[in-house]
Each structure stands twice: as structure tokens, then as C-alpha cells.
Amino acid sequence: MNDAAAERGPVLDDEQFRRLAEYGEVEYAEPGRDLYTSGDDTYDLFLLRSATVDIVRDATAIEPERLIYRGGPGDFLGELNLLTGQHVYLTARVVIAGTVVRIRAAMLRRALAEQVDIADTLIEAFRERREVIRGAAGNALELVGRPYAAETLDLRSYATQMLLPHSWLDAASHPGRSLMGWRGSARTTSRPRWSTVRC
């Protein structure tokens, strides 16, 4: 995968896009607006009518912000955590103004129940996107701990089983110590992030 775009799995055809849009609300999105951001508890499915949106992994202590993919008109934004309720770990930022259709959680569940062909397409796309995102956003969740500590092993197993994109650093290593030190000082200078877990 390159920085221009990632494989996004199955796509909706024009007729499916139109049917799914009936479950949502049309909004105008200005450039620079975040449709959702890493750390959000939940987010909505977005259909892109005319807007273009970058999906990015936020900068971490050890890596700069990274473009995962760019979605354009006819695309939709979302992956498995729309259905699992996991925290958001990527940011969707509007880069070219246009209209989007916001489909909230209750309406998305209704659409998945009523539109079987759309449900099949979305769920398969969500699965494929999760795999692509795991490779591209591997440091979205940073785990720092002692290698043989039970808490570390439990947390690493959980992250793997839940298919969460993550990296792990030994707390005794220089990068691990640096990350913990950076996170400690960052608490007073920026909004809290969930991306680093110490154990």
C-alpha cells in the first residue's frame, strides 16, 4: 500500500449508494473538518457524495501523521469498529469540500437489517479495511510494558484477538522509556489520547 490510497474492499454501486443514502442526513463539509477523530468513543458511517476525505493515523511519539487512504465521491467511510463499538483510532479529515451523508448507528443497523445486499457489501469491505488498516496503522495503539509481565501478555493477546492495529515496546528499551516520558509530559500540553498503554 502507498500513501496515495489503500485497497478499500468492495464498493457500493450507484443504486446501492442511493438506497443507503436514504437512511442518512445530508451535510456540507468544509475542508479541514474532522468527521471523526482518533479517541472518539463512537462515530457514524459517512457516504461521500462530492467531498474528498483523508483517513489518517495521527502522529505518535515515534512516527509522524500518516495517510492511510483518500476517499472520494461514491465512497463510504467506516470499518469494523462501527459494528464492534471499539474506540476510533483513525481520523477522517475533509480535504475537498462537498456533501456527505451521515448515517447514525441506529439507522445503520436498520439499513443492514433491511438491505441484505448492502449489508453484505459493507461487512466484507469493513473486514478487508481492517486488515489493510492493521498493516498501515500499526502504531495507532502503542503498548509499553515488561515483556514477561502477565498484564503485558494479557493486553497484547487482547489487542491481537480484537484485530487492533498496535505496536509493542519493551518498557526497559530506549524507545519504550522515551515513549513513556513523552506521554507523561504530553498530558499537560495536549488533549488526552488513548494511543499509549503502559503495563
Side-chain angles (χ1 to χ4, degrees), residues 71-90:
D75 202 352
F76 58 91
L77 306 181
E79 56 96 27
L80 274 179
N81 55 2
L82 272 170
L83 306 178
T84 63
Q86 295 168 349
H87 281 83
V88 179
Y89 48 82
L90 298 175

Side-chain angles (χ1 to χ4, degrees), residues 25-31 33 35 50-51 94 96-100:
E25 309 153 16
V26 177
E27 299 179 5
Y28 184 76
E30 295 281 356
R33 175 183 167 191
L35 299 177
S50 59
V94 178
I96 298 177
T99 57
V100 299

Side-chain angles (χ1 to χ4, degrees), residues 4 30 34 49 51 63 66 84 92 95 98 100 104 107 118 120 132 146 157 182-183 193 199:
E30 295 281 356
D34 289 342
R49 279 190 167 169
E63 289 189 10
R66 180 174 179 186
T84 63
V95 292
V100 299
R104 300 185 188 276
M107 293 304 288
I118 292 174
D120 290 344
V132 170
R146 297 179 307 277
S157 294
W182 178 83
R183 293 304 299 167
R193 292 284 186 189
C199 47

Side-chain angles (χ1 to χ4, degrees), residues 154-172:
D154 287 347
L155 194 53
R156 291 180 70 188
S157 294
Y158 174 79
T160 300
Q161 290 168 1
M162 296 302 291
L163 304 178
L164 297 172
H166 69 280
S167 63
W168 175 79
L169 296 170
D170 186 333

Side-chain angles (χ1 to χ4, degrees), residues 104-137:
R104 300 185 188 276
M107 293 304 288
L108 177 59
R109 287 192 295 272
R110 180 178 165 191
L112 294 177
E114 294 177 351
Q115 308 290 338
V116 176
D117 62 321
I118 292 174
D120 290 344
T121 300
L122 291 181
I123 291 169
E124 183 59 29
F126 292 166
R127 287 183 182 138
E128 291 189 26
R129 289 178 181 190
R130 173 59 65 94
E131 288 304 313
V132 170
I133 290 167
R134 283 181 70 197

